[in-house]
């Protein structure tokens, strides 16, 4: 399951909100000349659950993760889940 085509500002807010609520950053795109310009990604974990965020300048944020986590995010931020 995933949520696609999320505006950059909304995706950034979701990442910040998750970190504030206890999700831990476990992986991210390394600092490179194109980080945040052409491509970016983050992986967050909490209680054996993983959520992956991938960003491109063409399609903006895409989120993949557990069904439960995506359903909660889709409700909170009014996003559409793709199965």
């Amino acid at each position: 399951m995933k949520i696609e085509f999320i505006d950059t500002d909304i995706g950034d807010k979701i990442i910040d909100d998750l970190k504030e609520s206890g999700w831990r950053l476990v992986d991210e795109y390394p600092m490179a000349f194109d980080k945040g310009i052409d491509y970016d990604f983050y992986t967050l974990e909490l209680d054996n659950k993983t959520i992956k965020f991938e960003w491109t300048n063409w399609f903006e944020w895409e989120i993949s993760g557990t069904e439960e986590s995506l359903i909660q995010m889709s409700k909170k931020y009014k996003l559409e889940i793709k199965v």
Side-chain angles (χ1 to χ4, degrees):
M1 296 184 81
K2 60 185 168 182
I3 304 172
E4 301 176 311
F5 309 112
I6 302 163
D7 288 339
T8 298
D9 293 342
I10 294 170
D12 292 346
K13 175 161 181 36
I14 294 170
I15 292 169
D16 290 342
D17 290 351
L18 289 172
K19 287 187 202 174
E20 287 178 15
S21 67
W23 287 79
R24 185 172 53 93
L25 179 66
V26 295
D27 195 17
E28 72 177 286
Y29 191 61
M31 193 50 107
F33 71 93
D34 64 340
K35 181 174 177 67
I37 297 170
D38 292 320
Y39 184 77
D40 212 346
F41 80 80
Y42 297 93
T43 303
L44 302 172
E45 288 184 353
L46 177 70
D47 299 332
N48 296 320
K49 293 182 269 185
T50 301
I51 299 176
K52 296 185 179 196
F53 291 80
E54 185 173 12
W55 181 89
T56 67
N57 62 344
W58 286 97
F59 302 110
E60 301 194 61
W61 284 111
E62 176 179 301
I63 305 171
S64 59
T66 65
E67 182 176 356
E68 175 188 350
S69 299
L70 293 181
I71 288 170
Q72 289 175 355
M73 275 189 273
S74 70
K75 289 178 181 177
K76 182 174 181 177
Y77 299 99
K78 297 176 178 48
L79 303 170
E80 184 179 340
I81 297 175
K82 302 288 184 187
V83 180

